[in-house]
Amino acid sequence: MEGLAMLGQLIGQIQDLLQLHGSPPPPPPPSHFRLLQPHLHPDDHHRRWCLHNVDYTSTDHYYSLVMAAGKSGSCKMLEPFEPPGPPPSKKSRKGRTQEKLHGSTAIPEAEVMEQDIWKEFPEDLLEAIIARLPIASFFRFRSVCRKWNSLLELQSFSQHCAEIPQGNTWFYAFTHDNVNSGTMYYDPSMRKWHHPAYRPTKMIALPVASAGGLVCFLDIGHRKIYVCNPLTRSFKELPTGSVKVWSRITVGMTLNGNSTTGGYKVMWVGRDGEYEVYDSVKNSWSRPGRMPSNIKVPLSLNFLSQAVSVDNTLCFMRSDPEGIVSYNMDTGVCKQFIIPAPLHLSDHSLAEWKGRIMLVGLLTKNAATCVCIWELQKMTLLWKEVDRMPNVWCLEFYGKHVRMTCSGNKGLLMLQLRSRQMNRLVTYNVMSREWLKVPGSVVPRGRKQQRVACCIAFNPCLTATA
């Protein structure tokens, strides 16, 4: 009882001090007792704090409370204390996993799309958005519904596609597999293969030229030429021409303008200088012609010789004498340029980038082999080396008999390097001068890696029609 009396005296002194100096209330104490709000006297409006419901059996708690208030010089109202519950039980791993799944899949009401609103979404705006999707994404979207699958048949969608600049170059490849599944696409921007690609015929037809999203195929065995869009499967068999020896011709292709809406032309040139031009608008071949007398024949061409187009002019590489033969598809003018090839050059091909003519080939000296890139200097008509494959890669060719084929379009080349111990694909970007190894390709649900036999570069286009 003596302790309670001393406690009551101390409380009274603290209340007098608070009333005299008007200090702010004390901080919340760490106990389960509650302080009530201050009583304001109407006369002096001074704060006066009081404690209620003092339990005389717990004087030690009150003493610590008052001592803490006296040290801080302030006191605040506390909320009633609730005794702590039992500790949370440990959940099983399965329970925690289900809780995470439910938490991650829960969608707030504000984020749920209302069907009534999206039903009124403008069709032309939707077509404009879909037309700007990447090619691979577009074909996945076509499988959503019949309406989206029929977009390619709409004139309005074709107009939206025509407004978009041509995308990245793809490669259309043939493999050493059977006729049905031996084709595939390669997207260099994603470094990914797509299976299977469309094949226009089950015959042995090799891709020899491309323009504006269309690819031209040559069927030597059946003496036929096909043109198709490998993405949309628009296909056309060209009328029979006057080709005599099909294995001794090279084929080139150009557009009548900037897109296939104006048509296209296909030209074949024989080793003896004979040639013929097909016009898709007229759906016929022109009369067979011959190169001017100042162009020396034979041209040493075959169906593997790659022609490149610079605007509306086709360029063919020739040998003996070494140089380039060009043919203007609009005017019919044919020219010859004598350009000596670099020393120790083999397996060389022409390429084009922004109107510049490039040369790609193997330089072999002694036992060392390297891939080099040259650019034709228009003033001097000489080849100038601009880049070569990294030395680390070239060391792998040392002492090996390496062969190379090149396919390129618009500054992106694919090189196929092969020997008895190696079969490698490499891409080269003319603008960035970047060399990249092409990843291997495995057919879906298969284990065997596909080996590319030949390929052609083309610009994927959804609206190009054969």
Side-chain angles (χ1 to χ4, degrees), residues 254-265 279-282 465:
T254 60
L255 297 178
N256 297 335
N258 297 325
S259 65
T260 57
T261 55
Y264 57 88
K265 291 185 175 71
D279 191 341
S280 64
V281 177
K282 300 177 182 179
T465 55

Side-chain angles (χ1 to χ4, degrees), residues 263-282:
Y264 57 88
K265 291 185 175 71
V266 177
M267 177 185 183
W268 64 263
V269 180
R271 65 188 306 268
D272 294 329
E274 69 274 19
Y275 66 89
E276 204 170 12
V277 178
Y278 169 81
D279 191 341
S280 64
V281 177
K282 300 177 182 179

Side-chain angles (χ1 to χ4, degrees), residues 338-340 374-384:
I338 306 301
I339 308 171
W374 295 268
E375 181 181 344
L376 180 62
Q377 306 299 298
K378 295 182 178 180
M379 297 298 295
T380 61
L381 289 181
L382 295 175
W383 296 110
K384 177 183 177 181

Side-chain angles (χ1 to χ4, degrees), residues 201-383:
T201 175
K202 291 186 177 182
M203 306 302 174
I204 303 177
L206 302 177
V208 291
S210 67
L214 299 177
V215 177
C216 182
F217 295 85
L218 180 63
D219 186 353
I220 299 177
H222 295 78
R223 299 184 177 185
K224 294 181 180 179
I225 297 179
Y226 310 100
V227 174
C228 83
N229 185 334
L231 294 180
T232 63
R233 303 189 178 187
S234 174
F235 172 79
K236 185 175 186 180
E237 179 181 335
L238 304 190
T240 303
S242 58
V243 181
K244 296 180 180 179
V245 184
W246 286 75
S247 61
R248 295 291 183 177
I249 67 172
T250 184
V251 180
M253 187 176 184
T254 60
L255 297 178
N256 297 335
N258 297 325
S259 65
T260 57
T261 55
Y264 57 88
K265 291 185 175 71
V266 177
M267 177 185 183
W268 64 263
V269 180
R271 65 188 306 268
D272 294 329
E274 69 274 19
Y275 66 89
E276 204 170 12
V277 178
Y278 169 81
D279 191 341
S280 64
V281 177
K282 300 177 182 179
N283 192 28
S284 63
W285 294 91
S286 62
R287 288 185 178 181
R290 296 188 69 87
M291 297 288 178
S293 58
N294 62 331
I295 298 179
K296 184 180 178 181
V297 294
L299 298 176
S300 300
L301 300 174
N302 57 53
F303 65 95
L304 294 178
S305 303
Q306 181 177 347
V308 297
S309 61
V310 182
D311 296 329
N312 57 351
T313 301
L314 285 178
C315 297
F316 307 87
M317 171 149 299
R318 62 160 302 161
S319 59
D320 192 25
E322 295 169 336
I324 293 176
V325 176
S326 67
Y327 181 84
N328 190 300
M329 301 287 274
D330 293 338
T331 62
V333 176
C334 186
K335 296 181 180 181
Q336 177 180 249
F337 304 91
I338 306 301
I339 308 171
L343 297 176
H344 312 292
L345 179 67
S346 64
D347 293 353
H348 48 286
S349 302
L350 289 179
E352 181 271 339
W353 177 61
K354 292 186 175 181
R356 307 174 188 175
I357 298 179
M358 316 294 292
L359 178 67
V360 186
L362 287 178
L363 273 186
T364 304
K365 188 175 182 180
N366 298 328
T369 302
C370 186
V371 181
C372 295
I373 311 293
W374 295 268
E375 181 181 344
L376 180 62
Q377 306 299 298
K378 295 182 178 180
M379 297 298 295
T380 61
L381 289 181
L382 295 175
W383 296 110

Side-chain angles (χ1 to χ4, degrees), residues 19 87 104 107 168 191 230 376 433:
Q19 184 179 4
S104 60
I107 302 176
N168 299 322
R191 301 190 66 187
L376 180 62
R433 297 188 176 183

Side-chain angles (χ1 to χ4, degrees), residues 7-32:
L7 179 60
Q9 183 179 1
L10 183 59
I11 292 175
Q13 292 178 359
I14 293 175
Q15 289 178 345
D16 292 337
L17 290 173
L18 291 175
Q19 184 179 4
L20 177 63
H21 298 285
S23 62
S31 67
H32 58 278

Side-chain angles (χ1 to χ4, degrees), residues 123 127 147-161 463:
E123 291 292 337
E127 293 178 5
K147 184 177 181 180
W148 287 9
N149 187 40
S150 61
L151 282 176
L152 291 175
E153 304 173 3
L154 300 179
Q155 183 65 26
S156 57
F157 182 74
S158 300
Q159 293 177 355
H160 286 299
C161 293
T463 57

